Amino acid sequence: MKDLAGRSAVVTGGGSGMGRELVRQLVAEGVSIAMCDVSASGLAETERLCRQERLPQGLKITTHILDVSDRPAVERFQGEVAKQHETDKIHLLFNNAGIGGGSSFVVAERDEWERTFNIFWGGVYLCTRAFLPMMLKADKGHIVNTSSVNGFWATIGASMPQTAYGAAKFAVKCFSEALQTDLRLNAPHIKCSVVMPGHIGTGIAGNTGKVQAGND
């Protein structure tokens, strides 16, 4: 999709890192944004950075506090987007939210392991489920799912097992590749891409500590 001006996008994990930069670049292209994150302060800073530039007329930016692993919350988020953007369709979905932790299946706490897996994989699944009906109503659409180099290799280095992270990233990669075929057969106006980044200088480590500790 090259004609981005006037389109609308949902970006998860928009409060920092890759999500923030995605939002800023999309806004610069004239895309209306609904972004979510668990960090209210992070969302506020992303919005501030976007609004310090002159926005195209009619462009909307909305922020939403959301844990993407929470199904009822994701479904409410979808309703909020439709209401606040006054539309029944979106064109772009960036499933980008992420967290670390749960590296060891043997010694890590079960809650930590499942939180990591459910945010990385569950967030992609739940948000795609929630927003696909709105994308089906658009003239064209594109889903972009963030996996990782850990979706190729389960771990990087002999001292870090990465069991929750690696398992989730393999799941995101597999789902995205299978969804490409599904969309080609059943919704050819929607495309799907999977992104496999390596080490990027984001705040994921610090943000993980905050989330796992239950604070912002």
Side-chain angles (χ1 to χ4, degrees), residues 93-153:
L93 172 62
F94 291 85
N95 287 310
N96 165 77
I99 188 176
S103 60
S104 172
F105 192 81
V106 180
V107 300
E109 294 291 335
R110 178 171 180 165
D111 286 349
E112 178 184 321
W113 199 99
E114 292 182 355
R115 186 180 299 115
T116 299
F117 185 85
N118 290 340
I119 288 172
F120 271 128
W121 159 241
V124 171
Y125 169 72
L126 291 174
C127 289
T128 304
R129 276 286 187 201
F131 286 100
L132 182 60
M134 296 182 74
M135 302 188 80
L136 290 170
K137 293 179 180 179
D139 62 329
K140 61 177 65 176
H142 207 119
I143 301 166
V144 182
N145 296 327
T146 301
S147 179
S148 165
V149 291
N150 280 115
F152 291 122
W153 305 285

Side-chain angles (χ1 to χ4, degrees), residues 14 23 33-37 39-40 42-48 51 60-66 77 80 84-85:
V23 169
I33 297 291
M35 56 175 156
C36 69
D37 203 284
S39 171
L43 287 172
E45 176 62 10
T46 301
E47 183 176 9
R48 185 193 69 79
R51 293 191 183 280
K60 290 187 177 181
I61 301 174
T62 61
T63 61
H64 309 260
I65 305 298
L66 178 69
F77 173 46
E80 290 173 4
Q84 294 182 27
H85 286 255

Side-chain angles (χ1 to χ4, degrees), residues 11 20 37 39 41 46 49 59 86 97 114 117 123 135 189 192:
V11 180
R20 174 174 291 168
D37 203 284
S39 171
S41 59
T46 301
L49 290 169
L59 186 148
E86 300 178 292
E114 292 182 355
F117 185 85
M135 302 188 80
H189 67 295
C192 179

Side-chain angles (χ1 to χ4, degrees), residues 2-213:
K2 296 180 180 180
D3 51 334
L4 294 180
R7 303 288 183 178
S8 56
V10 170
V11 180
T12 70
S16 64
M18 290 172 54
R20 174 174 291 168
E21 294 308 311
L22 279 169
V23 169
R24 295 181 68 184
Q25 291 184 36
L26 289 165
V27 167
E29 293 288 339
V31 179
S32 288
I33 297 291
M35 56 175 156
C36 69
D37 203 284
V38 295
S39 171
S41 59
L43 287 172
E45 176 62 10
T46 301
E47 183 176 9
R48 185 193 69 79
L49 290 169
C50 291
R51 293 191 183 280
Q52 71 183 10
E53 305 296 335
R54 184 172 181 179
L55 300 182
Q57 186 173 6
L59 186 148
K60 290 187 177 181
I61 301 174
T62 61
T63 61
H64 309 260
I65 305 298
L66 178 69
D67 175 352
V68 295
S69 67
D70 183 336
R71 177 178 173 178
V74 170
E75 291 170 351
R76 287 195 299 272
F77 173 46
Q78 186 272 337
E80 290 173 4
V81 172
K83 182 177 180 179
Q84 294 182 27
H85 286 255
E86 300 178 292
T87 185
D88 63 349
K89 60 182 69 71
I90 65 164
H91 305 93
L92 296 158
L93 172 62
F94 291 85
N95 287 310
N96 165 77
I99 188 176
S103 60
S104 172
F105 192 81
V106 180
V107 300
E109 294 291 335
R110 178 171 180 165
D111 286 349
E112 178 184 321
W113 199 99
E114 292 182 355
R115 186 180 299 115
T116 299
F117 185 85
N118 290 340
I119 288 172
F120 271 128
W121 159 241
V124 171
Y125 169 72
L126 291 174
C127 289
T128 304
R129 276 286 187 201
F131 286 100
L132 182 60
M134 296 182 74
M135 302 188 80
L136 290 170
K137 293 179 180 179
D139 62 329
K140 61 177 65 176
H142 207 119
I143 301 166
V144 182
N145 296 327
T146 301
S147 179
S148 165
V149 291
N150 280 115
F152 291 122
W153 305 285
T155 184
I156 301 177
S159 62
M160 185 62 71
Q162 295 282 56
T163 59
Y165 191 99
K169 292 304 189 179
F170 266 80
V172 171
K173 177 176 181 289
C174 178
F175 171 70
S176 301
E177 292 177 348
L179 187 60
Q180 290 168 354
T181 300
D182 198 351
L183 292 169
R184 177 175 56 81
L185 296 173
N186 297 301
H189 67 295
I190 304 175
K191 308 302 180 186
C192 179
S193 298
V194 59
V195 182
M196 312 290 288
H199 293 290
I200 296 178
T202 71
I204 189 171
N207 291 338
T208 294
K210 295 175 182 179
V211 172
Q212 298 287 17

